[in-house]
Amino acid sequence: MSIPTPHPSLSDPPAAAPPAPSGPVRGPSARTGGPSSPGGPPARPEHPSRGRWIAPTAAAWWALGGVVALVVTLTGGTLAVGDANDLSFGALSGVAGETLTPWVAVLALVGAATALRAWLGARHGPVARADRALTVAATAVVSAGVLALTDASILARLGYLPVTLVMAPFDPVIRAAFEDFLGAGPLTQLALLVGGALLVASTWRFVRRGVGACASCGRHHDGHDPAWTTPAAAARWGRVAALVAAAVPASYAVTRIAWVLGIPLGFSSENVADLAGEDGLVAALGLGGFALVGAVLTLGLFQRWGEVFPRWMIGLAGRRVPVSMAVVPATIVAVAVLPAGLSLIVIGLGESHLALTADSWGAVGPTFLWPVWSLALGAATYAYWLRRRGTCRTCGRG
C-alpha cells in the first residue's frame, strides 16, 4: 500500500523528478485499484468485487416478493403469515393473516426500493451522510418487520435435521412432523429471513462505499482503518464474543442431556417421564447434541484448529481451513437464532403452555439468551473474518 505524500503548495520550489523504476511497477495504482496518484481517483481494480451480486439480488428478491404479496392481496388471498400459519408462534402469530398480507406487500416494496438504492447509490463515489442514514433506517425498519413475522421455525428445522435424517426412514411420526416444516408458513418465513439478510448485507456494502472504503473488505482508501479492525484487536474482542457464543448453546445442551439421563433439570419429573413415553428423549438428545457440537465448533473461531486442520484429520492435516467453511455456517446460525430467540421470549413471558414457570424454566429459560447468542456469534464470526481476510482481491489492500 502506497503512503500518500502531502501535495506541494504553489510557493514550494518544484522537486526533482524521482528516477524511473527499473522493474515493473507493483504499487496499488498498477494492479490493485489503489490511488493512481496522491489525491487522484482510485484506479480500476483488477478483479471486480465478489459481492457485487448481493444488492441486485436483494432488489430482485424483494421486488418479486412484493409482486406476489400484491397479487395475493388484490385477489383476496392470504399469505401464510400470522394466524394463517398453523406452525407460527411469533410476536404476530395472533394477528389475522388477511390483515398482515397487505403489510407484507408494503414491507417487500420498501425492501426492494432500499436494496435498489444500495445497488445504485454508491457507484459514483461517496454518498452524503444523510443519504446513508436514510438507507440504514429503511433497512432497520424492514429488518424489524422480518423479525416480527418470523419465529423459531427455521432454527427448529436446522436443529431437528440431524435426528430426522437418521430416524425418518424408520419412524413415520418423525418424518411426518418434519414434513410440516416444508409447508407454506415455514417457507414464507425462510423467504423473509433470506431477504432480510440480503438487504442488511447490501446496505453494509453501500455504507462502506459511501464512506470511501472498499465494499468487499471495508478497508479505507486513505489507509485510516479503525483500530478495532486490526487482526490483533479482532483476536482480543473476538475471543470474548466466541466464548459467550459457545456458553449459551452449551447451557441449552446441559438441560436437554440431563433429561435424557433422567435428571429433571428445570423440568418436572412428570414432564421428563412424558418425554420418555413419547420418544421425546430422542429429540432432546438430538437437540442437545447438536447444540453441544455447535458450542465446540464456535471455539474454533479463535483456536488454532479453526485455522489449520488438526493432525487427526487424515488427508486434511496441516492444511488451512477455508475462511468460508467457518464463516458461512456460523452466519447462517447467527441469522436463524435471532428471530427464534425473540419469538420464544414473547412466548415465555406469556401464558401459553411454554410460559416460563418454576417447573419449566429449563425448557424455555435458556432460549432467553438466544438473542445474545446470535449477536455474540455474529461478532465472533466477523472477528474471525477480520483476522483471516488477507489481501483483498478487489482493492489489493491488506
Side-chain angles (χ1 to χ4, degrees), residues 16-370:
S22 57
V25 179
R26 301 185 181 274
S29 61
R31 59 173 296 273
T32 62
S36 55
S37 60
R44 187 177 183 85
E46 181 181 4
H47 300 283
S49 174
R50 287 184 175 182
R52 64 189 184 279
W53 58 271
I54 295 177
T57 302
W61 188 278
W62 283 107
L64 179 61
V67 170
V68 171
L70 276 177
V71 171
V72 172
T73 301
L74 296 177
T75 56
T78 302
L79 293 174
V81 293
D83 65 358
N85 178 13
D86 295 336
L87 298 177
S88 177
F89 47 87
L92 300 179
S93 59
V95 182
E98 57 268 21
T99 301
L100 289 176
T101 297
W103 286 107
V104 173
V106 173
L107 185 75
L109 294 176
V110 173
T114 305
L116 187 63
R117 177 62 182 131
W119 180 22
L120 303 177
R123 301 181 68 180
H124 304 292
V127 179
R129 181 178 298 177
D131 196 358
R132 299 198 303 269
L134 181 61
T135 304
V136 171
T139 301
V141 169
V142 175
S143 300
V146 169
L147 292 176
L149 290 166
T150 54
D151 51 44
S153 297
I154 307 303
L155 187 64
R157 294 173 69 182
L158 293 175
Y160 281 108
L161 185 59
V163 177
T164 304
L165 293 177
V166 175
M167 299 296 297
F170 313 101
D171 193 330
V173 176
I174 293 180
R175 183 167 62 250
F178 186 77
E179 288 174 354
D180 289 339
F181 289 114
L182 301 178
L187 292 181
T188 299
Q189 291 193 14
L190 180 61
L192 287 167
L193 204 57
V194 171
L198 287 172
L199 182 60
V200 170
S202 62
T203 300
W204 195 341
R205 292 173 57 85
F206 169 77
V207 171
R208 280 176 170 176
R209 294 196 62 179
V211 299
C214 174
S216 295
C217 70
R219 295 183 178 97
H220 288 255
H221 299 322
D222 57 7
H224 296 156
D225 297 320
W228 61 271
T229 63
T230 62
R236 290 192 297 270
W237 59 263
R239 178 188 180 91
V240 176
L243 289 173
V244 173
V248 176
S251 65
Y252 175 87
V254 166
T255 59
R256 271 59 186 172
I257 294 176
W259 300 345
V260 174
L261 298 177
I263 303 173
L265 180 61
F267 223 26
S268 65
S269 301
E270 294 78 8
N271 287 332
V272 173
D274 291 340
L275 288 176
E278 299 174 359
D279 293 332
L281 293 183
V282 176
L285 181 60
L287 291 174
F290 186 74
L292 193 59
V293 170
V296 173
L297 291 178
T298 300
L299 300 178
L301 295 175
F302 69 88
Q303 297 282 358
R304 174 66 177 171
W305 55 267
E307 300 181 18
V308 179
F309 288 108
R311 289 178 293 179
W312 57 267
M313 298 192 69
I314 301 175
L316 295 175
R319 296 186 180 183
R320 292 179 62 83
V321 177
V323 177
S324 59
M325 187 175 180
V327 170
V328 172
T331 302
I332 292 175
V333 173
V335 171
V337 164
L338 184 57
L342 294 176
S343 63
L344 290 174
I345 287 176
V346 172
I347 294 175
L349 296 178
E351 298 181 355
S352 69
H353 67 286
L354 291 177
L356 183 63
T357 64
D359 292 334
S360 66
W361 66 263
V364 184
T367 64
F368 278 35
L369 297 176
W370 283 6

